[in-house]
């Protein structure tokens, strides 16, 4: 009996907590963090006996450089109360003596590129849209496809709506792009694309749609943990966000991704059922692709990105830009949606984009939200854009 | 021009490093960690000016409680050289003043339940099997299925082999279970199941197979980030590993999971094409399911788990166990594979299991490896088991 009890305890320790054993010994009192109060205030706690300084960064902050000081509450515990905050989904993490630290008490971690942060979800109408509800769920697949344009197989995430497998029907497609530093998992881990679509479709607010989430960095195959471990970028190739203006992603989207999706999924393969949208760098990609391919996409969404004509925009040519926009105006997409937060640092570029479109007479719908360049806005934008598609 | 340059710089900062801005300011010199040397020694580095103690824990350690001291190298940098290590894939993290910390210089993070650790991959024959190679890749899908037995929709990961979508063929299935504290993503994030199968299939060493990775904790729907945020376990329901012996997972596997897979995938739905395997708690589940359903599975793999007859094993009945094993012997599965590491703390239970099987005359193949109760072994076991299936 004792031997068995020991065995049980060992399994419990080994499977659940072995790597934190030495840590656990120093943390006799369990820490609850984040604790959500009735008024949507939130208490964050961190047990860090030796820390000098604990700070908190979270996507509810207007300026993410203004981190929150977490004062020492007693000899081992740091604690701060934030809010009340609007009911929403946020990301946060601690900074302990200058080092970013995930909240050890929160086992929900989200990732955008190399940025790991805990999820905070405050109950309310908006978060119901982002949360997993008791509704039919679509399937999310990580798919490898050949990219002859780039010269390697690459990875994308594809959401197929509930019922896709058995319906025999064809569906419209939304091509959805992440921002700089991100990858094909950003719209999943942070963006909650699959759950937002599940919930909107179940409520009859969005039509069933296939969502294709690509990796927008052409010199890598996939997200960090999913690419060959010892692959090196070709010498001289621009890496990361430096690759943004090489035009390679735009080419592979048109030449490789769309043909693959239309050949391998039951897709309504016409402009009236083809939508494209992206955030930040993905908003740049969206502009580049739709400018160069007027008439290919019936629905266009540009999130948190305006005119990009700086020195990094190697081939930027204002005359060509205007010419393309005139052709796009002729093609008359059913929706050209531009969204930006009031505090977005790219606000001025978005204003210039709208001025240019006004000047040309290219129709667009403009959505200005609160807040800045964060996933709080991008989730909101997807939740607002999806219901407008394919109507 | 200057405005554009500012814009470019802002985008770069905002998209890539904004949350670490205050951190970056304190880290003028980039830290390389882990640095892999030619002889497969590894240098781990952490810049932590205020830390008193930095330790390192990694799955190359024989006893995971013996963490490695990382000495202070200069005023801000902690550094330690480990190895040379056998070429393999490992998990590791730092412990700074008692708090677990991911390596800020390594953007590959893996998860098993609530345990987050960085990946370390050392080049060699074994890691080629675990790495992403230029071979055809299968598709990995997160699928929600109804579980009337448990009373909720639940999530599982399904690997379909390269070519599945277009072949029109039917495939054998491996049902693969995680350990205590884990979930349906463990065999992906840590286990590398999809890449191991891709590589074995490409080399002609394994037959194309569908792999179904369930969530073995019946009181939750899915992995932490994928379950309803405000869902509570039913009052009085055993949670986490406490749910291991309720029998609910076993029932849902037989009543819900297998019928769903066989109705929704092109499956060879007979015992000769149905395999089952699991690690630790999943090895317990594998035993329970195959003992209670002799003749249902042609191939059985029990990893790092022996007899489990302690007080937590509520309904354990040795007589019934023996009776079941005799029926299983009659059913004569094509393979009963048992694997355990020499340093596994469950080694003694595995020895007792083998003795019991010997006594009954139930044939099994035993594989004893080096090392203990870690993913280093479970990846190895999957890579060895898969080639034996469906031959």
């Amino acid at each position: 009996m004792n031997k068995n009890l020991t065995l049980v305890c060992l399994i419990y320790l080994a499977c659940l907590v072995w790597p934190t054993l030495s840590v656990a010994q120093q943390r006799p009192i369990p820490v609850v963090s984040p604790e959500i109060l009735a008024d949507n205030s939130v208490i964050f706690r961190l047990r860090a006996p030796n820390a000098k300084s604990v700070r908190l960064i979270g996507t509810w902050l207007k300026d993410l450089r203004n981190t929150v000081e977490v004062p020492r509450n007693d000899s081992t515990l740091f604690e701060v109360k934030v809010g009340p905050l609007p009911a929403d989904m946020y990301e946060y993490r601690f900074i302990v003596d200058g080092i970013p630290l995930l909240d050890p008490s929160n086992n929900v971690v989200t990732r955008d590129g190399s940025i790991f942060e805990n999820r905070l979800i405050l109950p309310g109408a908006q978060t119901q849209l982002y949360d997993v509800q008791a509704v039919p769920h679509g399937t999310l697949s990580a798919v490898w496809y050949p990219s002859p344009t780039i010269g390697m197989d690459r990875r994308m995430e594809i959401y197929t709506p509930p019922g896709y497998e058995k319906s025999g029907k064809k569906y419209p497609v939304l091509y959805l792009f992440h921002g700089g530093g991100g990858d094909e998992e950003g719209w999943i881990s942070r963006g909650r694309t699959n759950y937002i679509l599940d919930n909107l479709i179940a409520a009859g607010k969005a039509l069933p749609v296939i969502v294709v989430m690509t990796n927008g960095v052409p010199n890598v195959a996939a997200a960090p943990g999913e690419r060959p471990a010892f692959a090196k970028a070709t010498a001289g190739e621009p890496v990361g966000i430096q690759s943004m203006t090489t035009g390679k992603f735009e080419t592979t989207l048109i030449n490789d991704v769309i043909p693959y999706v239309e050949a391998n999924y039951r897709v309504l393969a016409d402009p009236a059922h083809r939508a494209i949208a992206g955030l930040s760098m993905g908003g740049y990609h969206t502009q580049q692709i739709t400018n160069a391919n007027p008439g290919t996409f019936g629905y266009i969404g540009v999130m948190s990105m305006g005119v990009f004509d700086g020195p990094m925009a190697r081939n930027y040519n204002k005359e060509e830009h205007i010419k393309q926009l005139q052709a796009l105006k002729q093609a008359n997409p059913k929706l050209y949606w531009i969204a930006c937060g009031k505090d977005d640092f790219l606000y001025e570029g978005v204003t210039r984009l709208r001025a240019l479109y006004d000047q040309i007479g290219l129709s667009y719908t403009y959505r200005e939200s609160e807040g800045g360049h964060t996933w709080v806005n991008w989730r909101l934008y997807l939740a607002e854009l999806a219901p407008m598609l394919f109507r």
Side-chain angles (χ1 to χ4, degrees), chain A:
Chain A
M1 195 71 171
N2 265 355
K3 193 159 69 177
N4 289 332
L5 189 59
T6 307
L7 184 69
V8 170
C9 293
L10 276 170
I11 290 175
Y12 186 79
L13 284 172
C15 299
L16 273 179
V17 296
W18 56 256
T20 51
L21 198 57
S22 58
V23 178
Q25 285 162 346
Q26 298 172 44
R27 282 199 255 147
I29 311 149
V31 167
V32 176
S33 177
E35 183 185 353
I36 301 166
L37 306 183
D39 68 347
N40 275 354
S41 297
V42 183
I43 301 174
F44 296 89
R45 296 185 179 94
L46 178 71
R47 194 169 300 287
N50 294 342
K52 285 184 188 164
S53 148
V54 176
R55 304 194 68 86
L56 177 70
I57 185 164
T59 47
W60 61 85
L61 296 166
K62 279 216 168 187
D63 186 335
L64 291 159
R65 287 166 299 183
N66 296 338
T67 56
V68 178
E69 193 195 340
V70 185
R72 190 185 281 274
N73 187 37
D74 64 27
S75 63
T76 63
L77 193 72
F78 289 77
E79 182 176 310
V80 71
K81 184 173 162 182
V82 169
L85 299 174
D88 212 318
M89 180 179 281
Y90 303 96
E91 290 81 30
Y92 76 96
R93 58 180 168 170
F94 292 113
I95 299 169
V96 177
D97 294 330
I99 301 171
L101 181 84
L102 291 169
D103 185 344
S105 303
N106 183 346
N107 68 355
V108 180
V109 172
T110 68
R111 185 182 68 79
D112 185 14
S114 299
I115 300 164
F116 293 84
E117 292 183 303
N118 291 101
R119 179 178 298 154
L120 167 67
I121 177 164
L122 298 180
Q126 197 60 26
T127 48
Q128 280 181 24
L129 211 48
Y130 306 157
D131 198 7
V132 185
Q133 303 292 344
V135 299
H137 297 293
T139 295
L140 198 56
S141 297
V143 174
W144 288 82
Y145 66 97
S147 172
T149 301
I150 292 178
M152 56 170 135
D153 286 357
R154 305 186 77 229
R155 189 170 175 267
M156 58 185 164
E157 292 279 350
I158 297 189
Y159 168 85
T160 46
Y164 172 86
E165 290 81 359
K166 297 257 172 179
S167 73
K169 285 185 196 165
K170 293 186 172 187
Y171 293 82
V173 183
L174 165 62
Y175 296 88
L176 188 60
F177 309 143
H178 62 80
D183 53 58
E184 74 275 15
E185 294 178 349
W187 271 107
I188 305 304
S189 179
R190 295 267 164 101
R192 304 291 277 179
T193 299
N194 49 327
Y195 298 116
I196 291 173
L197 266 297
D198 284 350
N199 292 330
L200 290 173
I201 293 167
K205 290 181 181 164
L207 294 171
V209 57
I210 296 170
V211 186
V212 174
M213 290 153 278
T214 49
N215 187 310
V217 183
N219 51 274
V220 300
E226 311 291 332
R227 67 179 77 142
F230 304 104
K232 299 271 178 238
T234 312
E237 282 274 293
V239 297
I241 192 141
Q242 300 292 336
S243 71
M244 168 170 152
T245 57
T246 57
K248 278 195 174 184
F249 174 70
E250 292 87 335
T251 308
T252 193
L253 193 279
I254 294 290
N255 292 356
D256 305 334
V257 175
I258 295 178
Y260 182 90
V261 169
E262 296 187 349
N264 289 279
Y265 288 80
R266 292 195 316 277
V267 164
L268 293 162
D270 63 285
H273 298 94
R274 198 182 288 126
I276 185 169
L279 72 91
S280 196
M281 180 178 88
Y284 172 82
H285 286 146
T286 300
Q287 290 180 50
Q288 294 293 107
I289 291 166
T290 52
N291 291 352
N293 300 277
T296 303
F297 301 89
Y299 299 82
I300 301 166
V302 173
M303 306 175 182
S304 310
M305 178 53 92
V307 181
F308 188 77
D309 49 4
M312 234 176 81
R314 288 158 230 235
N315 307 314
Y316 185 73
N317 178 327
K318 185 160 185 177
E319 220 171 282
E320 177 64 16
H321 191 190
I322 290 171
K323 217 168 122 186
Q324 287 185 325
L325 291 175
Q326 279 160 342
L328 189 58
K329 178 187 168 184
Q330 285 302 315
N332 194 23
K334 296 201 176 182
L335 177 72
Y336 198 117
W337 196 68
I338 299 172
C340 191
K342 282 177 189 166
D343 303 315
D344 197 310
F345 70 93
L346 295 183
Y347 187 88
E348 183 267 345
V350 175
T351 305
R352 285 200 295 128
L353 187 75
R354 290 166 53 212
L356 183 61
Y357 288 10
D358 288 339
Q359 178 196 318
I360 286 164
L362 172 63
S363 299
Y364 62 88
T365 306
Y366 179 55
R367 163 66 159 116
E368 187 167 290
S369 67
E370 301 298 317
H373 206 78
T374 77
W375 280 104
V376 174
N377 266 335
W378 302 323
R379 285 184 289 261
L380 175 71
Y381 297 163
L382 178 63
E384 292 188 357
L385 176 62
M388 291 186 272
L389 300 178
F390 318 117
R391 296 293 187 182

